[in-house]
């Protein structure tokens, strides 16, 4: 399951419209679907949520340049990597976690978000489809599908009660 430090944190829904930023965390690498996420945010325009990108990797500089070229500088905050407890805290302060990987084996990021109970948007790659049941404990999009990712983000921000319904079940992440 998820690293045990994440079990010390629990995401709570906000009454009304959720104003917390979204969260991407992981390796800054093209395989993590970062370009798909950037394009989905651009498609959302003014409706795009603020989002924190927390990670490390050789793609960081390219990510910052691409963010700026797409006019998303005021929407995207880049942060360095944090240890488990720091990421657990950020998961409670975010909604949703967006993990749009193009390829994965078995995502510890997905398990970590599920352990905290943060609403989750992910892609059906690797083992993710085995732990995330679309519409029950997360929203699954096809990898690389900008429109599906845009629609999933819009849905969870437009319908905060829907995001709150994606909480953990007894079998999640454990």
């Amino acid at each position: 399951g998820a690293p045990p430090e994440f079990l010390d944190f629990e995401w709570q829904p906000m009454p009304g419209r959720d104003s917390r930023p979204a969260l991407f965390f992981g390796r800054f690498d093209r395989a993590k679907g970062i370009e798909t996420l950037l394009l989905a945010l651009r498609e959302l325009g003014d409706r795009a949520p603020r989002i924190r990108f927390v990670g490390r990797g050789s793609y960081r500089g390219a990510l910052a340049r691409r963010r700026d070229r797409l006019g998303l500088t005021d929407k995207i905050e880049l942060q360095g990597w944090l240890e488990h407890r720091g990421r657990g805290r950020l998961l409670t302060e975010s909604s949703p976690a967006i993990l749009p990987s193009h390829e994965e084996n078995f995502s510890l990021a997905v398990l970590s978000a599920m352990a905290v109970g943060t609403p989750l948007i992910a892609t059906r790659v690797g083992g993710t489809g085995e732990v995330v049941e679309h519409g029950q404990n997360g929203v699954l999009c096809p990898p690389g599908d900008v429109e599906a990712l845009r629609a999933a983000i819009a849905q969870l921000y437009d319908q905060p009660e829907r995001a709150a319904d994606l909480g953990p079940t007894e079998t999640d992440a454990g």
Side-chain angles (χ1 to χ4, degrees):
E5 294 88 347
F6 288 98
L7 300 176
D8 293 337
F9 297 91
E10 184 177 347
W11 182 87
Q12 296 293 318
M14 289 183 74
R17 188 168 176 87
D18 198 333
S19 61
R20 291 175 282 195
L23 176 65
F24 167 92
F25 64 104
R27 191 175 66 252
F28 291 152
D29 183 284
R30 289 187 187 275
K32 294 296 185 179
I34 292 171
E35 181 69 16
T36 304
L37 179 51
L38 292 174
L39 293 174
L41 292 170
R42 182 189 67 184
E43 293 295 318
L44 284 164
D46 292 339
R47 293 180 55 220
R50 292 176 302 114
I51 183 169
R52 294 179 182 126
F53 279 71
V54 176
R56 59 180 169 221
S58 60
Y59 189 60
R60 183 186 177 95
L63 168 57
R65 289 187 297 279
R66 185 73 169 134
R67 170 199 66 187
D68 297 344
R69 279 195 301 272
L70 291 172
L72 297 169
T73 307
D74 62 332
K75 296 283 187 178
I76 296 174
E77 174 187 344
L78 294 176
Q79 292 184 243
W81 192 241
L82 297 170
E83 45 38 72
H84 293 320
R85 295 196 69 71
R87 291 193 317 269
R89 181 183 47 78
L90 277 182
L91 282 163
T92 65
E93 298 170 358
S94 304
S95 183
I98 306 174
L99 303 167
S101 289
H102 291 179
E103 56 188 60
E104 284 289 346
N105 288 319
F106 200 77
S107 176
L108 282 178
V110 166
L111 292 178
S112 300
M114 291 175 75
V116 174
T118 305
L120 175 65
I121 299 172
T123 47
R124 191 180 303 276
V125 295
T128 301
E130 295 175 28
V131 295
V132 177
E133 187 175 339
H134 179 73
Q136 297 300 308
N137 60 357
V139 176
L140 291 174
C141 300
D145 189 332
V146 173
E147 177 54 29
L149 186 57
R150 183 210 59 79
I153 295 167
Q155 178 190 42
L156 293 191
Y157 274 93
D158 291 347
Q159 300 173 16
E161 67 284 353
R162 179 75 189 108
D165 287 344
L166 297 176
T169 64
E170 289 81 38
T171 59
D172 290 344

